[in-house]
Amino acid sequence: IGAGTALPGIVAAKCGAAVILSDSCKSVDALQTCLANVRLNNIDNTAVLGITWGHVSPTLLMLPKVDIILGSDCFYDSQDFEDILVSIHVIIRQNPNCKFWTTYQQRRYLFFALISKYDVF
């Protein structure tokens, strides 16, 4: 989630994982960058998907089985925190064994209140 340039997802795909790279559907540049980087790295087991964070859309509900959600620096704008966590919450509820792995640079305490609210960790 929040794939950006797709580096963590590309590494996972190169290690053999089936990967869905996703970013906000509003981030057209990020999605195009993901597609370009997938092609440049000759990766076949990877899809690129725009998600409207915070909305329970058919796209979000119809995802295949998800084992791990990688969030690499997707928590940089606090106005997006809750919407991103809602999306993660939906995915985890559909995939009870799914784990959410992320990095976070502490910028505000809001993040910790929201991860508790959505029982993500």
Side-chain angles (χ1 to χ4, degrees), residues 10-11 15 24 30 40 48 51 62-63 71 94 101 104 109 111 118-119:
I10 288 171
V11 171
C15 290
S24 170
L40 286 170
V48 177
I51 294 176
M62 295 185 338
L63 289 174
Q94 291 179 291
W101 297 350
Y104 173 74
Y109 291 101
F111 176 74
Y118 289 101
D119 193 29

Side-chain angles (χ1 to χ4, degrees), residues 39-99:
R39 288 184 193 119
L40 286 170
N41 284 279
N42 299 315
I43 299 171
D44 295 326
N45 56 336
T46 302
V48 177
L49 181 66
I51 294 176
T52 303
W53 293 334
H55 291 80
V56 182
S57 66
T59 303
L60 191 62
L61 293 173
M62 295 185 338
L63 289 174
K65 182 179 180 280
V66 175
D67 297 317
I68 298 169
I69 301 169
L70 293 176
S72 177
D73 198 30
C74 58
F75 295 105
Y76 54 87
D77 189 344
S78 62
Q79 73 180 15
D80 294 328
F81 285 12
E82 188 161 13
D83 288 342
I84 293 168
L85 288 168
V86 165
S87 298
I88 292 166
H89 175 80
V90 169
I91 295 168
I92 289 174
R93 290 297 170 245
Q94 291 179 291
N95 300 273
N97 294 320
C98 179
K99 302 295 181 207

